[in-house]
Amino acid sequence: MNIEKSKELFLVAEKVIPGGVNSPVRAFKSVGCSPLFIKESKGSKIIDVDGNEYIDYVGSWGPMIVGNAHPKVQERVIKALEKGSSFGAPTEMEIELAQKIIDIVPSVEMVRMVNSGTEATMSAIRLARGVTGRDKIIKFNGCYHGHADYLLASAGSGLATLSIPGTPGVTAKNVSDTLIAELNNRESVEALFNQHGKDIAALIIEPVVGNAGCIPPVDGFLEFLREITEKNGTIFIFDEVMTGFRVSQGGAQTYYNIKPDLSCFGKVIGGGLPVGAYGGKKEIMENIAPVGNVYQAGTLSGNPLAMAAGIATLEILAEEGAYTKLEENSKKLCEGVLKQFNNAGYNFTGTRVGSMFSVFFTEEKVTDFTSALTSDTKKFSRYFQNMLENKVYIAPSQFEAGFLSLAHSDEDIEKTIEAVSNSLKGI
Ligand code: KE4
């Protein structure tokens, strides 16, 4: 396949942008090939600068759930743009999007817009610390909540451990209040509460992990977290930046019928424009400035173009049958794909919740980050490259999730299943 223009652009980009990309995973480093530069996208397709068209299962890492460049989203953004791109003042559309989120997500009584998932989780944790007066937080090994210093903590080994900085530039002090638990492992959470009890301000989790590959919660685990946080006066935060409006209309909290105290959103609610949000109980949210004294701010928060894209996206998702179609097509795709793996002699672990999914290149059951890490990433890289050759664009990492949109057709699904069969040959 000819990707010469992408290669040329990458060489130029590397001179002016660190690693040639504005977000590391886009560099295709972990799959050992030169990244594609994208010219345009439409519906279920994405087209690179060399004119190669692919069936797209990255969907900009989740936002494009209604399909790329959806005409209704485009139209709303263009109409908003005609009135100006930013005012730095309140607008009616911010009320409209906030109300939509409140109407759809049962636990959310009030919501604040920000500009990314990182800002959403960072703000929610600051709010939890401000409200409780406590310092420590619990996150889970393998979960990614954006790049706030104290969340870039990678676990040490073992069950409950004080974390070590996950990247240079994050000091031991930055992460000294970040405690690491293991996914789907009650003992690791109990050990932290036994050790740090009433000093834990918040516990944050991706209710369906998407950043270690797709790892669903085992039965009862989210209920267990709800109980233990309630008992200890710890704020329970669902990071639904990826799962929100994705795994069901009301997100993972509706799918699993759990009410967290705070929820973080992003991706889908921006419809491809920069939006994040955090929300929850009114009694907690009213501690945020200017009504409360926990400070958080943002020049472009609630930006009218981003609000327009988010409102249009949620309106399309609210149409009759949207989530039924996502569920049926995701089920058909994943069953068809796994069948190809089995036919090729690979008893790998396939996971799916709603329209987010993964195949782990391991025969171990994947329930946490440690088991996910048993995946054969070299085999995955060869598979990834073969899929590109077969014109299917999947996430360039074993430790990311795939996403299906309303725009994916039966033909796309059939072609993808065939591409998987071809791509497994000789890996
Ligand atoms: P952003 O700051 O990238 O908008 O959101 C951070 C974030 C927070 N929480 C969850 C559950 C997330 O998945 C993310 C961001 N997801 C990654 C994809 N794994 C974004 C892609 C990237 O980093 O380029």
Side-chain angles (χ1 to χ4, degrees), residues 260-276:
D261 300 309
L262 290 176
S263 300
C264 304
F265 303 101
K267 297 180 191 281
V268 168
I269 63 165
L273 271 70
V275 179

Side-chain angles (χ1 to χ4, degrees), residues 2 54 61 63 106 109 125 230 260 279 322 324 346 355 379 386 395 417 426:
N2 171 24
Y54 308 87
W61 304 97
E109 298 170 350
I125 286 169
E230 195 83 45
T324 306
Y346 297 112
S355 57
K379 203 182 278 284
N386 290 349
I417 291 167

Side-chain angles (χ1 to χ4, degrees), residues 23 25 61 116-118 144-146 206 211 239 241-242 267 400:
S23 197
V25 71
W61 304 97
S116 67
T118 295
Y144 175 71
H145 302 289
E206 293 180 60
N211 289 289
D239 176 353
V241 168
M242 192 183 279
K267 297 180 191 281
E400 294 287 356

Side-chain angles (χ1 to χ4, degrees), residues 29 48 82 108 178 185 198 208 229:
K29 265 195 130 142
D48 69 21
E82 284 162 357
V108 175
T178 305
N185 179 323
K198 303 292 184 207
V208 177
T229 48

